[in-house]
């Protein structure tokens, strides 16, 4: 007899909007223990190396097959598989393992784990949350090779005719991408935050996801029916008929709205009372340009360049920078491109594992601090951007500026670099715009002075909230305190916008808050000039802007600025958005 199923409602972090209903499929990735075997005979060592190489080849074939099933337009999924293929093909990865087998006379599994440990040590030192998480790519590749070494059957298949919701402690990027191929409808995981892999991939391929559910793996049995509401962060296990019906209705509605948003995504973001907002995309790879255009971005408001530096022995050359940025700048569909100089610390070059661990990497030698110390590397990137700037409307954006001295120093370096290019007769954009990210509280307080130094500001709320509210943005235990609608955050933003406007410069925003539909009217009221966000968020945010009036947004802002508690702000905005934009304001910071 079937056991009586109780309804369980869990609340996590909705990281990718939408609603899905389906049967739970649990994925268990707990690593098996790896035993060390000593190989005494040199012939055995050579045989072990051959076994390792064969597993690499099998893993590569498997990845090629997954890749062939993915459409290039499907978010960053194909890219992740490409990255995995690159890791597999990287000689640093394979040769290191072979060296360990040979030098230590050990089995391939053990050697592979040693290689992974080396990578872990390197990635641990990275302060950028996103980059730090990329160790998961290496782990996923290692896991894949392990599977082939052990001759274990391929990864669990799902029945494509069934609506499947994947429940896991956590998911690797490859899991996520493969599951998409297998028609998975949603993800729900015990751990993770907004910058976790699951979140990023789910958003990029448009699958609802809720993370940080703590122990959903302990609550769910295989084939339990579950509802994942990636919008509110709710997961309902074994819902009753009435709940199912309600969610089915919501889901249908959501799909219709999504299509409608997308259809109109290319219309300009102009309010009913003719106030225009620039809407751009945040990208990391030039391969993301088609998606950015597809979702209605007019420009690239934040081109993160960190990826260009990792997983390599040497920093990129000037020619590499130039060629890379030129692709974005030259693309006719992209009306402007803001290229951010790299936001990394000195411990980021994977070839250099000797640099010391920093106690507080988020506040350590990173971004502009590192650039001002390692000028040669910085100058090479500036030269690349300045040269690419010839081909279109380009801005250079400097991260983590904390005061006037830093930006003056940057400007001196810029002048020197321009002088060098001039005397070498190398064409470059003399009038390239220089801007800074406002993401350190001291920069907010100094915004008046900083505005005299640069052409634009872009507010990086991911870091600004972290530093202003003293909340580690990657620590799930304090995630509940990470509130874009905190009155302090709103005041900080207002201070920056007002200072920028007084000085006659534009103020944009490129943190996650910019793409949160819950905050759109508030940001409009704050008179932010541009919003840059993950491409998938663009159609909805644009739609809200087009339906709104600047005057109503200003009124809403005036009302909420009177509150001194986050919950009051959220309640007021929620009530307003539900009344005024019931269909649009889905997901995000205060929608729960
Ligand atoms: C930010 O801090 O808001 C931002 C956009 O930069 P990153 O997320 O790359 O730190
Ligand atoms: Mg930042």
């Amino acid at each position: 007899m079937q056991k009586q199923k109780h309804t369980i409602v869990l609340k996590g972090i909705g990281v990718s909007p939408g609603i899905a209903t389906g049967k739970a499929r649990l994925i268990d990735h707990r690593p098996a223990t790896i035993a060390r075997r000593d190989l005494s005979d040199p012939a055995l060592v050579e045989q072990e190396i051959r076994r390792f190489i064969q597993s690499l080849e099998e893993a590569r074939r498997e990845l090629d097959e997954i890749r062939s099933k993915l459409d290039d337009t499907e978010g960053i999924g194909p890219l992740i598989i490409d990255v995995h293929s690159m890791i597999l093909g990287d000689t640093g990865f394979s040769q290191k393992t072979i060296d360990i087998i040979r030098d230590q006379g050990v089995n391939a599994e053990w050697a592979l784990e040693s290689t992974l440990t080396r990578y872990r040590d390197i990635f641990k030192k990275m302060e950028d949350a996103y980059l730090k998480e990329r160790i998961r790519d290496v782990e996923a590749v290692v896991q894949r090779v392990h599977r082939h070494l052990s001759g274990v059957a391929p990864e669990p298949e799902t029945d494509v005719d069934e609506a499947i919701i994947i429940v896991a402690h956590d998911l690797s990027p490859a899991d996520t991408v493969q599951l998409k191929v297998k028609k998975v409808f949603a993800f729900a995981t015990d751990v993770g935050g907004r910058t976790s892999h699951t979140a990023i991939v789910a958003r990029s391929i448009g699958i609802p996801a809720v993370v940080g559910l703590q122990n959903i793996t302990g609550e769910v049995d295989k084939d339990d029916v579950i509802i994942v509401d990636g919008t509110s962060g709710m997961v309902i296990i074994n819902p009753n008929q009435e709940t199912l019906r309600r969610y089915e209705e919501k889901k249908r509605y959501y799909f219709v709205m999504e299509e409608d948003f997308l259809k109109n995504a290319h219309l300009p973001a102009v309010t009913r009372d003719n106030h225009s907002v620039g809407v751009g995309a945040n990208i990391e790879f030039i391969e993301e340009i088609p998606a950015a255009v597809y979702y209605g971005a007019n420009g690239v408001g934040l081109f993160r360049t960190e990826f260009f530096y990792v997983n390599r022995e040497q920093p990129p050359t000037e020619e590499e920078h130039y060629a890379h940025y030129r692709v974005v700048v030259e693309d006719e569909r992209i009306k402007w491109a803001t290229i951010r100089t790299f936001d990394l610390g000195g411990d980021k070059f994977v070839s250099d594992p000797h640099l010391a661990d920093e106690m507080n990497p988020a506040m350590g030698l990173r971004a502009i601090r590192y650039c001002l110390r390692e000028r040669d590397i910085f100058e090479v990137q500036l030269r690349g951007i300045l040269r690419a700037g010839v081909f279109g409307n380009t801005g250079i954006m400097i991260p983590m500026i904390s005061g006037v001295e830093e930006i003056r120093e940057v400007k001196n370096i810029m002048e020197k670099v321009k002088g060098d290019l001039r005397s070498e007769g190398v064409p470059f954009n003399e009038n390239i715009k220089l801007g800074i990210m406002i993401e350190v509280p001291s920069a907010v307080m100094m915004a008046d002075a900083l505005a005299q130094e640069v052409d634009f500001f872009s507010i990086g709320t991911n870091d600004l909230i972290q530093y202003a509210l003293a909340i580690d943005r990657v620590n799930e235990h304090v995630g509940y305190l990470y509130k874009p609608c905190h009155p302090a955050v709103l005041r900080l933003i207002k201070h920056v916008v007002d200072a920028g406007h007084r000085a006659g410069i534009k103020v944009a925003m490129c943190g996650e808050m910019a793409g949160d539909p819950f905050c759109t009217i508030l940001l409009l009221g704050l008179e932010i000039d541009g919003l840059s966000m993950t491409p998938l968020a663009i159609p909805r945010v644009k739609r809200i802007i087009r339906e709104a009036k600047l005057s109503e947004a200003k009124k809403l802002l005036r009302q909420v600025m009177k509150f001194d508690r986050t919950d009051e702000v959220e309640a007021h905005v929620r009530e307003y958005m539900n009344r005024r934009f019931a269909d649009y304001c889905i997901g995000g910071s205060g929608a729960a």
Side-chain angles (χ1 to χ4, degrees), residues 128 195 282 284 302 304 306 340 343 366 437 439 459-464 473 482 510-512:
D128 183 285
T195 51
N282 292 354
E284 267 104 355
L302 169 63
R304 289 184 171 100
E306 293 80 74
R340 183 174 77 178
D343 185 354
R366 62 176 276 200
M437 292 204 53
E439 49 187 350
I459 304 175
T461 47
N462 305 345
D463 277 318
L464 184 58
R473 68 192 248 195
Y482 197 91
C510 61
E512 289 287 312

Side-chain angles (χ1 to χ4, degrees), residues 435-453:
I436 56 173
M437 292 204 53
I438 301 284
E439 49 187 350
V440 179
S442 59
V444 175
M445 297 317 293
M446 295 309 295
D448 274 285
L450 288 166
Q452 303 299 326
E453 304 286 335

